Amino acid sequence: MPYRYDIHPDTDALIVVDVQPDFMPGGPLAVPDGDAVIPIINRLIPAFDKIYYTRDWHPYNHISFSEFPEYRDGSWPPHCLADSPGAHLHEDLIIAPDDDPQIISKGTDPEREAYSGFEGTDLDRRLRLAGVRRVFVAGLATDYCVKNTVLDALKRGFQAVVVEDATRGVNQPAGNVAQALDEMVQQGAEVITAKQLVTAPRELTPL
Ligand code: VGL
Ligand code: ZN
């Protein structure tokens, strides 16, 4: 195993996508096993100086909401209503730095879907101002917001690395997650596991 990823604190960032209660088991748009990403992401966070948290942050009349949801693009149950408890970052997620975290709200326009953390936000500008060149991406859901964030990062000239075991997907129909990972790789992303991230000289809790 070889292949180890050294983190360069000045030019690498971690993007934590949509770790929100509404996407967890028991929530309206539950991602299977979605809560499993939290302890893994919490172990990655100390390895990065630059961390960006996206959150789905919809108005009550968002275009994606359906009365009879089919749990696919364009037909979701109401979820992540701006400022509701289910939309806040999950209470078990480590937020760093806790005095001034970088939080990006998306999907705030009622007329537009926005899976990507770049869409309709200033994430690109924030990353460039901070000197970021490579983003590591974790969170939910692999086949929607993670995928679109990764593809947008690549289109905008960032290198992108998906931390696969720190993501979970809707995966409906079955195979959707595998297809999403294929597509990300095809567009130039790397896919790794959390264990492959190595930081020196900092200490990481062993996985
Ligand atoms: C997401 C479906 C609808 C996601 C957001 O975070 O992947 N999926 N809204
Ligand atoms: Zn949404």
Side-chain angles (χ1 to χ4, degrees):
M1 194 170 97
Y3 201 75
R4 301 189 145 192
Y5 281 73
D6 284 306
I7 292 164
H8 306 284
D10 292 340
T11 52
D12 285 338
L14 178 65
I15 302 182
V16 178
V17 177
D18 297 7
V19 178
Q20 298 168 274
D22 277 0
F23 294 123
M24 302 292 161
L29 213 174
V31 174
D33 208 25
D35 48 345
V37 305
I38 296 173
I40 302 173
I41 293 171
N42 282 345
R43 275 180 250 128
L44 299 179
I45 281 171
F48 290 87
D49 273 358
K50 304 172 199 281
I51 306 167
Y52 298 81
Y53 300 86
T54 70
R55 61 186 183 189
D56 223 25
W57 203 249
H58 294 314
Y60 74 93
N61 55 347
H62 190 251
I63 189 168
S64 75
F65 293 174
S66 170
E67 203 181 337
F68 305 102
E70 294 169 52
Y71 297 86
R72 54 161 178 78
D73 183 33
S75 180
W76 303 112
H79 62 278
C80 295
L81 289 166
D83 224 4
S84 69
H88 284 105
L89 296 179
H90 196 284
E91 60 178 358
D92 295 337
L93 182 68
I94 295 173
I95 309 296
D98 57 7
D99 56 337
D100 187 24
Q102 297 274 337
I103 297 174
I104 294 97
S105 302
K106 62 182 173 62
T108 57
D109 181 341
E111 305 298 329
R112 303 172 80 96
E113 182 55 286
Y115 294 126
S116 160
F118 290 93
E119 204 169 329
T121 74
D122 63 352
L123 177 58
D124 184 284
R125 192 163 58 85
R126 291 198 210 186
L127 292 171
R128 282 176 210 284
L129 277 172
V132 173
R133 298 214 297 264
R134 180 170 66 168
V135 295
F136 289 75
V137 185
L140 306 172
T142 324
D143 37 356
Y144 287 95
C145 289
V146 169
K147 178 180 96 167
N148 284 279
T149 299
V150 166
L151 295 179
D152 265 359
L154 292 165
K155 279 184 206 150
R156 292 163 184 267
F158 297 98
Q159 290 176 266
V161 184
V162 186
V163 187
E164 183 181 357
D165 52 336
T167 73
R168 291 292 185 282
V170 177
N171 205 30
Q172 205 170 276
N176 209 41
V177 165
Q179 200 184 314
L181 289 165
D182 278 353
E183 195 176 334
M184 290 186 264
V185 169
Q186 215 159 57
Q187 297 305 315
E190 291 173 84
V191 178
I192 68 165
T193 63
K195 273 187 174 164
Q196 287 173 275
L197 282 180
V198 172
T199 53
R202 280 190 253 196
E203 286 267 313
L204 263 189
T205 315
L207 285 162

